[in-house]
Amino acid sequence: MPISDRIIPTSQGAGRAGTAPALFAALALLGLAACDDSFGAPGARPGAVLDSATLDEGSIRIKGPAGYCVDGTSLRDRGPKQFALLAQCDLLRSNEVAGVTSLAFITVTAVRAEADAPLPSAESIAKTFGPATVLYSAVIDDIRIVQLNAGGTSATDQADPVHWRGVLNANGHAIGLAAYSMQDGSGAGLEGRNLLLRLARNIRNDSGARATTGDGVKDRVKTAPGG
């Protein structure tokens, strides 16, 4: 059962409970992009909530930040382009959003690439997923992190247009990350950046790859309430 089918709207259409179902439904549809021939076939059993998952026959291991799990219904672990969707474990295992403090979702896309391929520039990421303005740009531990002022609504107009994207290289793969949240959610602010950094470091550490550089230089960043 996909995420969207496990969310029960309340009669109070406002706030988190009202916004969440549409956001979950649209983001869950990102996994359905696997119907495209460029994505592999489903790898996990329907309805599975996974503490971690692997892509490309174990070359890439995905383990989310604390409290985040892989939605097994989204997992595409074979083919030239592979995909996983992560969300709060409690949310994936329950029928309601009660007790979930921040609605944020992370997507992971992996494609094979040269090991020494350069990271894309912030401008090229903005062009690919925009048009958008770069609000924040940094390279931290060989992870390109950008915050864009637009594009989050490409999943659903219920999402905050401000969202985060990250790119890293690991074990001969280019790994693309994205973090979305509900409108004005904390995931649109610094929490989204920190989620992507924790996930990226988990992927690198668990996949046997190491960073070669450290500091990054940031521009400006929009902070959401609580972010």
Side-chain angles (χ1 to χ4, degrees):
M1 185 185 304
I3 298 173
S4 55
D5 293 343
R6 296 203 296 273
I7 302 302
I8 302 175
T10 69
S11 58
Q12 305 172 354
R16 177 181 300 152
T19 304
L23 177 58
F24 297 167
L27 288 174
L29 287 176
L30 291 175
L32 297 182
C35 294
D36 186 311
D37 288 341
S38 64
F39 281 86
R45 69 184 187 280
V49 179
L50 308 174
D51 291 332
S52 64
T54 60
L55 301 178
D56 202 4
E57 299 181 346
S59 296
I60 301 297
R61 184 169 182 263
I62 301 169
K63 184 173 178 59
Y68 278 74
C69 291
V70 177
D71 177 15
T73 64
S74 75
L75 190 62
R76 301 299 186 269
D77 60 358
R78 294 182 292 275
K81 186 186 293 185
Q82 303 185 19
F83 178 90
L85 172 70
L86 294 87
Q88 287 98 326
C89 303
D90 289 347
L91 177 60
L92 291 172
R93 293 184 176 120
S94 70
N95 291 328
E96 300 182 19
V97 297
V100 178
T101 59
S102 175
L103 297 177
F105 296 84
I106 311 171
T107 63
V108 179
T109 304
V111 297
R112 292 187 179 182
E114 296 294 331
D116 58 351
L119 295 175
S121 66
E123 291 72 20
S124 67
I125 293 174
K127 182 177 180 180
T128 299
F129 298 103
T133 298
V134 177
L135 300 179
Y136 174 108
S137 175
V139 177
I140 303 172
D141 296 340
D142 278 356
I143 305 160
R144 167 67 72 184
I145 295 286
V146 299
Q147 183 194 41
L148 302 180
N149 77 330
T153 53
S154 61
T156 168
D157 59 10
Q158 300 292 325
D160 196 306
V162 176
H163 69 295
W164 292 87
R165 291 191 176 270
V167 181
L168 70 150
N169 295 320
N171 278 5
H173 294 76
I175 311 295
L177 310 174
Y180 306 90
S181 73
M182 62 189 293
Q183 291 182 4
D184 296 320
S186 57
L190 288 174
E191 180 179 314
R193 182 200 68 173
N194 294 339
L195 285 173
L196 286 194
L197 284 172
R198 288 195 290 268
L199 173 60
R201 287 163 175 156
N202 286 350
I203 290 173
R204 174 171 285 136
N205 292 338
D206 294 343
S207 302
R210 292 190 300 171
T212 58
T213 64
D215 296 336
V217 178
K218 67 180 180 180
D219 298 323
R220 54 196 178 91
V221 58
K222 168 189 171 181
T223 57

PDB file of all heavy atoms in Angstrom, residues 139-158:
ATOM      1  N   VAL A 139      29.804  23.126  -0.994  1.00  0.00           N
ATOM      2  CA  VAL A 139      30.354  21.788  -1.159  1.00  0.00           C
ATOM      3  C   VAL A 139      30.928  21.409   0.193  1.00  0.00           C
ATOM      4  O   VAL A 139      31.877  22.027   0.670  1.00  0.00           O
ATOM      5  CB  VAL A 139      31.422  21.721  -2.255  1.00  0.00           C
ATOM      6  CG1 VAL A 139      32.018  20.312  -2.320  1.00  0.00           C
ATOM      7  CG2 VAL A 139      30.831  22.106  -3.603  1.00  0.00           C
ATOM      8  N   ILE A 140      30.322  20.424   0.829  1.00  0.00           N
ATOM      9  CA  ILE A 140      30.713  19.991   2.165  1.00  0.00           C
ATOM     10  C   ILE A 140      31.034  18.497   2.095  1.00  0.00           C
ATOM     11  O   ILE A 140      30.183  17.699   1.707  1.00  0.00           O
ATOM     12  CB  ILE A 140      29.585  20.246   3.178  1.00  0.00           C
ATOM     13  CG1 ILE A 140      29.200  21.729   3.191  1.00  0.00           C
ATOM     14  CG2 ILE A 140      30.004  19.782   4.573  1.00  0.00           C
ATOM     15  CD1 ILE A 140      27.972  22.043   4.012  1.00  0.00           C
ATOM     16  N   ASP A 141      32.248  18.121   2.421  1.00  0.00           N
ATOM     17  CA  ASP A 141      32.664  16.713   2.350  1.00  0.00           C
ATOM     18  C   ASP A 141      32.389  16.120   0.973  1.00  0.00           C
ATOM     19  O   ASP A 141      31.898  14.998   0.838  1.00  0.00           O
ATOM     20  CB  ASP A 141      31.938  15.882   3.418  1.00  0.00           C
ATOM     21  CG  ASP A 141      32.303  16.291   4.826  1.00  0.00           C
ATOM     22  OD1 ASP A 141      33.360  16.923   5.006  1.00  0.00           O
ATOM     23  OD2 ASP A 141      31.528  15.989   5.746  1.00  0.00           O
ATOM     24  N   ASP A 142      32.707  16.886  -0.060  1.00  0.00           N
ATOM     25  CA  ASP A 142      32.483  16.445  -1.446  1.00  0.00           C
ATOM     26  C   ASP A 142      31.010  16.199  -1.757  1.00  0.00           C
ATOM     27  O   ASP A 142      30.692  15.381  -2.625  1.00  0.00           O
ATOM     28  CB  ASP A 142      33.298  15.186  -1.756  1.00  0.00           C
ATOM     29  CG  ASP A 142      34.741  15.509  -2.119  1.00  0.00           C
ATOM     30  OD1 ASP A 142      35.087  16.707  -2.206  1.00  0.00           O
ATOM     31  OD2 ASP A 142      35.529  14.566  -2.294  1.00  0.00           O
ATOM     32  N   ILE A 143      30.129  16.872  -1.081  1.00  0.00           N
ATOM     33  CA  ILE A 143      28.693  16.790  -1.348  1.00  0.00           C
ATOM     34  C   ILE A 143      28.235  18.177  -1.783  1.00  0.00           C
ATOM     35  O   ILE A 143      28.371  19.146  -1.026  1.00  0.00           O
ATOM     36  CB  ILE A 143      27.908  16.357  -0.094  1.00  0.00           C
ATOM     37  CG1 ILE A 143      28.450  15.039   0.462  1.00  0.00           C
ATOM     38  CG2 ILE A 143      26.411  16.260  -0.387  1.00  0.00           C
ATOM     39  CD1 ILE A 143      28.085  14.808   1.912  1.00  0.00           C
ATOM     40  N   ARG A 144      27.744  18.288  -2.992  1.00  0.00           N
ATOM     41  CA  ARG A 144      27.196  19.558  -3.448  1.00  0.00           C
ATOM     42  C   ARG A 144      25.789  19.705  -2.878  1.00  0.00           C
ATOM     43  O   ARG A 144      24.928  18.841  -3.079  1.00  0.00           O
ATOM     44  CB  ARG A 144      27.124  19.596  -4.977  1.00  0.00           C
ATOM     45  CG  ARG A 144      26.280  20.733  -5.544  1.00  0.00           C
ATOM     46  CD  ARG A 144      26.873  22.110  -5.295  1.00  0.00           C
ATOM     47  NE  ARG A 144      28.052  22.337  -6.110  1.00  0.00           N
ATOM     48  CZ  ARG A 144      28.798  23.433  -6.030  1.00  0.00           C
ATOM     49  NH1 ARG A 144      28.489  24.371  -5.150  1.00  0.00           N
ATOM     50  NH2 ARG A 144      29.856  23.569  -6.797  1.00  0.00           N
ATOM     51  N   ILE A 145      25.549  20.777  -2.136  1.00  0.00           N
ATOM     52  CA  ILE A 145      24.254  21.039  -1.534  1.00  0.00           C
ATOM     53  C   ILE A 145      23.752  22.392  -2.028  1.00  0.00           C
ATOM     54  O   ILE A 145      24.486  23.387  -1.970  1.00  0.00           O
ATOM     55  CB  ILE A 145      24.348  21.076   0.011  1.00  0.00           C
ATOM     56  CG1 ILE A 145      24.728  19.702   0.560  1.00  0.00           C
ATOM     57  CG2 ILE A 145      23.028  21.540   0.627  1.00  0.00           C
ATOM     58  CD1 ILE A 145      23.623  18.683   0.517  1.00  0.00           C
ATOM     59  N   VAL A 146      22.530  22.423  -2.523  1.00  0.00           N
ATOM     60  CA  VAL A 146      21.932  23.687  -2.938  1.00  0.00           C
ATOM     61  C   VAL A 146      20.508  23.783  -2.406  1.00  0.00           C
ATOM     62  O   VAL A 146      19.817  22.770  -2.240  1.00  0.00           O
ATOM     63  CB  VAL A 146      21.920  23.862  -4.471  1.00  0.00           C
ATOM     64  CG1 VAL A 146      23.329  23.861  -5.027  1.00  0.00           C
ATOM     65  CG2 VAL A 146      21.069  22.805  -5.138  1.00  0.00           C
ATOM     66  N   GLN A 147      20.111  25.013  -2.127  1.00  0.00           N
ATOM     67  CA  GLN A 147      18.723  25.309  -1.793  1.00  0.00           C
ATOM     68  C   GLN A 147      18.177  26.158  -2.938  1.00  0.00           C
ATOM     69  O   GLN A 147      18.769  27.172  -3.306  1.00  0.00           O
ATOM     70  CB  GLN A 147      18.628  26.066  -0.473  1.00  0.00           C
ATOM     71  CG  GLN A 147      17.199  26.351  -0.020  1.00  0.00           C
ATOM     72  CD  GLN A 147      17.163  27.379   1.097  1.00  0.00           C
ATOM     73  OE1 GLN A 147      17.905  28.365   1.048  1.00  0.00           O
ATOM     74  NE2 GLN A 147      16.320  27.173   2.092  1.00  0.00           N
ATOM     75  N   LEU A 148      17.047  25.726  -3.498  1.00  0.00           N
ATOM     76  CA  LEU A 148      16.442  26.420  -4.622  1.00  0.00           C
ATOM     77  C   LEU A 148      15.144  27.084  -4.187  1.00  0.00           C
ATOM     78  O   LEU A 148      14.401  26.542  -3.366  1.00  0.00           O
ATOM     79  CB  LEU A 148      16.158  25.439  -5.767  1.00  0.00           C
ATOM     80  CG  LEU A 148      17.375  24.666  -6.308  1.00  0.00           C
ATOM     81  CD1 LEU A 148      16.946  23.727  -7.428  1.00  0.00           C
ATOM     82  CD2 LEU A 148      18.463  25.621  -6.786  1.00  0.00           C
ATOM     83  N   ASN A 149      14.857  28.242  -4.761  1.00  0.00           N
ATOM     84  CA  ASN A 149      13.657  28.975  -4.368  1.00  0.00           C
ATOM     85  C   ASN A 149      12.403  28.481  -5.061  1.00  0.00           C
ATOM     86  O   ASN A 149      11.294  28.931  -4.755  1.00  0.00           O
ATOM     87  CB  ASN A 149      13.834  30.473  -4.635  1.00  0.00           C
ATOM     88  CG  ASN A 149      13.683  30.820  -6.115  1.00  0.00           C
ATOM     89  OD1 ASN A 149      13.988  30.004  -6.998  1.00  0.00           O
ATOM     90  ND2 ASN A 149      13.237  32.037  -6.392  1.00  0.00           N
ATOM     91  N   ALA A 150      12.548  27.572  -6.002  1.00  0.00           N
ATOM     92  CA  ALA A 150      11.406  27.060  -6.761  1.00  0.00           C
ATOM     93  C   ALA A 150      11.677  25.620  -7.162  1.00  0.00           C
ATOM     94  O   ALA A 150      12.822  25.158  -7.152  1.00  0.00           O
ATOM     95  CB  ALA A 150      11.160  27.922  -8.002  1.00  0.00           C
ATOM     96  N   GLY A 151      10.621  24.922  -7.507  1.00  0.00           N
ATOM     97  CA  GLY A 151      10.760  23.548  -7.981  1.00  0.00           C
ATOM     98  C   GLY A 151      10.165  22.516  -7.060  1.00  0.00           C
ATOM     99  O   GLY A 151       9.857  21.404  -7.490  1.00  0.00           O
ATOM    100  N   GLY A 152       9.996  22.858  -5.767  1.00  0.00           N
ATOM    101  CA  GLY A 152       9.383  21.899  -4.861  1.00  0.00           C
ATOM    102  C   GLY A 152       7.964  21.568  -5.250  1.00  0.00           C
ATOM    103  O   GLY A 152       7.488  20.451  -5.027  1.00  0.00           O
ATOM    104  N   THR A 153       7.294  22.517  -5.879  1.00  0.00           N
ATOM    105  CA  THR A 153       5.912  22.291  -6.285  1.00  0.00           C
ATOM    106  C   THR A 153       5.799  21.440  -7.547  1.00  0.00           C
ATOM    107  O   THR A 153       4.691  21.178  -8.003  1.00  0.00           O
ATOM    108  CB  THR A 153       5.202  23.631  -6.516  1.00  0.00           C
ATOM    109  OG1 THR A 153       5.978  24.427  -7.419  1.00  0.00           O
ATOM    110  CG2 THR A 153       5.037  24.387  -5.207  1.00  0.00           C
ATOM    111  N   SER A 154       6.930  21.024  -8.104  1.00  0.00           N
ATOM    112  CA  SER A 154       6.853  20.112  -9.246  1.00  0.00           C
ATOM    113  C   SER A 154       6.274  18.772  -8.817  1.00  0.00           C
ATOM    114  O   SER A 154       5.724  18.025  -9.637  1.00  0.00           O
ATOM    115  CB  SER A 154       8.236  19.898  -9.866  1.00  0.00           C
ATOM    116  OG  SER A 154       9.123  19.311  -8.924  1.00  0.00           O
ATOM    117  N   ALA A 155       6.388  18.454  -7.525  1.00  0.00           N
ATOM    118  CA  ALA A 155       5.784  17.233  -6.997  1.00  0.00           C
ATOM    119  C   ALA A 155       4.306  17.462  -6.716  1.00  0.00           C
ATOM    120  O   ALA A 155       3.459  16.654  -7.073  1.00  0.00           O
ATOM    121  CB  ALA A 155       6.504  16.795  -5.728  1.00  0.00           C
ATOM    122  N   THR A 156       3.990  18.574  -6.064  1.00  0.00           N
ATOM    123  CA  THR A 156       2.610  18.935  -5.760  1.00  0.00           C
ATOM    124  C   THR A 156       2.578  20.394  -5.353  1.00  0.00           C
ATOM    125  O   THR A 156       3.530  20.900  -4.744  1.00  0.00           O
ATOM    126  CB  THR A 156       2.030  18.089  -4.618  1.00  0.00           C
ATOM    127  OG1 THR A 156       0.791  18.667  -4.193  1.00  0.00           O
ATOM    128  CG2 THR A 156       2.969  18.019  -3.437  1.00  0.00           C
ATOM    129  N   ASP A 157       1.474  21.083  -5.670  1.00  0.00           N
ATOM    130  CA  ASP A 157       1.383  22.487  -5.278  1.00  0.00           C
ATOM    131  C   ASP A 157       1.163  22.643  -3.781  1.00  0.00           C
ATOM    132  O   ASP A 157       1.142  23.754  -3.255  1.00  0.00           O
ATOM    133  CB  ASP A 157       0.296  23.217  -6.068  1.00  0.00           C
ATOM    134  CG  ASP A 157      -1.088  22.614  -5.900  1.00  0.00           C
ATOM    135  OD1 ASP A 157      -1.264  21.736  -5.020  1.00  0.00           O
ATOM    136  OD2 ASP A 157      -2.001  23.019  -6.641  1.00  0.00           O
ATOM    137  N   GLN A 158       1.013  21.510  -3.057  1.00  0.00           N
ATOM    138  CA  GLN A 158       0.922  21.551  -1.608  1.00  0.00           C
ATOM    139  C   GLN A 158       2.302  21.649  -0.949  1.00  0.00           C
ATOM    140  O   GLN A 158       2.409  21.922   0.243  1.00  0.00           O
ATOM    141  CB  GLN A 158       0.208  20.300  -1.084  1.00  0.00           C
ATOM    142  CG  GLN A 158      -1.213  20.124  -1.587  1.00  0.00           C
ATOM    143  CD  GLN A 158      -2.149  21.186  -1.046  1.00  0.00           C
ATOM    144  OE1 GLN A 158      -1.997  21.624   0.088  1.00  0.00           O
ATOM    145  NE2 GLN A 158      -3.117  21.594  -1.852  1.00  0.00           N
TER     146      GLN A 158
END
